[in-house]
Amino acid sequence: MNKLVIVGTVAFDAIETPFGKTDKILGGAATYIGLSASHFNVDAALVSVVGGDFPQKHLDLLKGKNLDTSGIEVVKDGKTFFWSGKYHNNMNNRDTLATELNTLADFNPVVPKAYTNAEVVMLGNLHPLVQASVLDQMENTPKLVVLDTMNFWMDCALDDLINVIKRVDVITINDEEARQLTGEYALVTAAQKIHKMGPKYVVIKKGEHGALLFHNGQIFSAPALPLETVFDPTGAGDTFAGAFTGYLASTSDYSFNAIKNAVVYGSVLASFCVEKFGTERMETLSSDDVKSRLLKFKELTQFELV
């Protein structure tokens, strides 16, 4: 079984959408990535930090999904990272109401020794220096390194971000972030500029409009599955990344065709994430659910030329 290292936040979220609101619930990039990757035959380890206020039941949930949690540091006298946000009616825009770094402010990730030879590394959204420190701990150059980031790091740590982008094979960002990173409005041109920074593959997520994959002048477009109701978009991008890396780690195939399949699996798993608040839907998701929706996705995209 191939190994996958996932670095990112394990956190608390408080979310408000037009469909309701929550108190503190389980969240964090590494949490969503791990829950999504757990649907594939891969040995995945989470690298993160939480405080003494983090319930054991959440760690047990992750362990129950066959995720290795030995890389999650527990700071007994510290508090867990907390984010609160409110989504607007269109669910594409949100306001951040609170961000409390807490234990994340001094986070120095330690990759468990058993995973320093992992074949695939997923660098979830964190400070670029933290992401780079994970790569520095790997015994060998991983066969695939995937990086997710956001506009915040482009604003305050651009040089560090550019340096870590040079070291990755795939970058996943949304359309707004791709435009900010490159100064280009056309996504094709933006992807070309990002290629020159280092990554062989560029995945640009477009929310309810799907995702675009770019590689050596080739473009693949995957639509998002139309849903009757979107309750909470939080974590959808991380869920996409989890399925994307989980699928690839399970196959050890990193060709353009395999990456295309990974984009589809990412879109399929992300479509479940938004159906309920937080991680609730991902906690109960079955392999039959995934297979059924994958077939629906195939029906949505398949056609014959006449």
Side-chain angles (χ1 to χ4, degrees):
M1 186 181 295
N2 294 326
K3 295 179 180 178
L4 165 65
V5 167
I6 298 166
V7 59
T9 53
V10 174
F12 292 132
D13 290 339
I15 302 159
E16 182 175 352
T17 80
F19 297 97
K21 60 189 301 185
T22 71
D23 292 322
K24 283 187 176 181
I25 58 174
L26 177 62
T31 303
Y32 285 103
I33 294 169
L35 290 174
S36 185
S38 70
H39 287 275
F40 302 87
N41 187 31
V42 61
D43 181 6
L46 305 183
V47 179
S48 190
V49 63
V50 295
D53 58 342
F54 195 74
Q56 182 62 41
K57 67 177 182 179
H58 291 337
L59 293 174
D60 292 341
L61 167 69
L62 298 173
K63 292 176 183 177
K65 298 295 184 180
N66 295 318
L67 297 168
D68 188 292
T69 60
S70 62
I72 299 179
E73 178 188 1
V74 180
V75 181
K76 294 295 185 182
D77 58 350
K79 286 188 173 183
T80 302
F81 175 76
F82 171 67
W83 175 84
S84 176
K86 180 178 181 179
Y87 287 88
H88 298 182
N89 287 333
N90 64 9
M91 303 293 274
N92 290 321
N93 299 317
R94 71 186 185 191
D95 298 322
T96 293
L97 304 179
T99 301
E100 299 174 9
L101 293 179
N102 297 326
T103 54
L104 192 65
D106 301 312
F107 178 42
N108 292 309
V110 177
V111 179
K113 185 63 178 176
Y115 291 88
T116 55
N117 62 347
E119 188 168 299
V120 179
V121 175
M122 175 66 224
L123 300 173
N125 176 35
L126 283 172
H127 194 292
L129 291 179
V130 174
Q131 294 173 322
S133 72
V134 171
L135 296 182
D136 293 340
Q137 295 176 53
M138 305 306 293
E139 291 179 6
N140 307 303
T141 302
K143 293 186 178 179
L144 189 77
V145 178
V146 182
L147 177 142
D148 189 26
T149 191
M150 66 182 299
N151 48 14
F152 178 78
W153 306 119
M154 298 173 198
D155 292 334
C156 68
L158 182 59
D159 290 343
D160 295 328
L161 177 60
I162 295 297
N163 286 333
V164 75
I165 287 175
K166 295 176 183 177
R167 304 174 63 182
V168 309
D169 302 291
V170 184
I171 183 171
T172 67
I173 53 178
N174 67 32
D175 45 2
E176 175 190 348
E177 293 158 351
R179 290 174 173 127
Q180 178 174 342
L181 182 61
T182 62
E184 298 288 347
Y185 184 82
L187 296 180
V188 173
T189 307
Q192 291 170 348
K193 279 197 172 183
I194 296 172
H195 276 310
K196 293 178 180 178
M197 296 178 186
K200 295 189 289 287
Y201 298 96
V202 177
V203 178
I204 299 180
K205 297 170 290 186
K206 301 173 64 185
E208 63 181 328
H209 303 297
L212 294 170
L213 167 65
F214 300 86
H215 172 66
N216 285 346
Q218 298 173 289
I219 304 175
F220 174 71
S221 176
L225 196 69
L227 299 171
E228 291 184 8
T229 304
V230 175
F231 273 87
D232 175 19
T234 309
D238 297 314
T239 301
F240 176 100
F244 182 90
T245 51
Y247 170 80
L248 291 170
S250 71
T251 64
S252 293
D253 181 357
Y254 310 117
S255 65
F256 182 61
N257 282 335
I259 300 284
K260 288 195 291 186
N261 286 338
V263 169
V264 171
Y265 271 102
S267 297
V268 169
L269 268 292
S271 74
F272 287 107
C273 177
V274 303
E275 291 182 333
K276 292 187 177 181
F277 281 107
T279 61
E280 184 179 355
R281 185 67 178 97
M282 300 305 296
E283 293 177 22
T284 60
L285 188 63
S286 71
S287 57
D288 287 340
D289 292 331
V290 176
K291 290 176 183 177
S292 176
R293 186 155 295 184
L294 188 61
L295 291 176
K296 289 183 179 180
F297 199 96
K298 183 178 179 181
E299 293 173 0
L300 176 70
T301 59
Q302 196 170 36
F303 65 94
E304 293 183 6
L305 291 174
V306 294

